[in-house]
Amino acid sequence: QVQLVESGGGLVQAGGSLRLSCAASGRTFSRYAMGWFRQVPGKEREFVAAITRSGGDTRYADSVKGRVTISRDNAKNTVYLQMNSLKPEDTAVYYCAADLQYLAVRTTPDYWGQGTQVTVSS
């Protein structure tokens, strides 16, 4: 089992940048593929980005491709989401996710963090 805690959210102007972090508990972090999702009120949670256990492969939603980079540091049990050129439509609660399977972390991950709010003002 893994517990996830996000940080780094906040208020930023359009065009600005934020880096989200997700710290994982336990000594088995490197066994998990990791992902980021986001959700706005009244809408379903949507996939943003994912990364394999080794960091050798990444995937992105079309809506963020070219503006967002997911990365991980297995020595620090942490996954990051660097977001640049932020837009008001990026405003959402961002959730970190983990799963032993790379496909599952992009669709129905087993583990979730509590979320961190990102607000982009126009």
Side-chain angles (χ1 to χ4, degrees):
Q1 192 166 356
V2 62
Q3 293 182 324
L4 307 172
V5 179
E6 301 96 333
S7 62
L11 174 64
V12 64
Q13 289 187 334
S17 298
L18 278 177
R19 189 176 81 155
L20 306 183
S21 299
C22 173
S25 64
R27 293 178 290 179
T28 59
F29 177 71
S30 61
R31 295 178 57 197
Y32 290 89
M34 301 298 295
W36 287 94
F37 287 71
R38 65 187 183 186
Q39 188 171 25
V40 298
K43 292 189 176 182
E44 291 188 358
R45 196 170 294 188
E46 66 172 1
F47 168 75
V48 175
I51 189 167
T52 54
R53 288 173 286 184
S54 67
D57 187 73
T58 56
R59 301 290 174 93
Y60 298 94
D62 288 342
S63 58
V64 302
K65 200 171 292 183
R67 301 187 296 118
V68 165
T69 302
I70 187 171
S71 61
R72 66 189 295 162
D73 186 337
N74 285 347
K76 295 183 178 180
N77 284 11
T78 302
V79 63
Y80 305 97
L81 189 71
Q82 177 67 44
M83 301 188 293
N84 301 323
S85 302
L86 283 163
K87 305 175 182 179
E89 51 263 43
D90 293 317
T91 296
V93 177
Y94 283 72
Y95 295 90
C96 178
D99 198 282
L100 292 174
Q101 301 298 323
Y102 189 38
L103 176 60
V105 85
R106 291 176 272 158
T107 54
T108 54
D110 281 340
Y111 303 101
W112 294 95
Q114 84 288 350
T116 186
Q117 177 71 46
V118 171
T119 303
V120 184
S121 63
S122 57

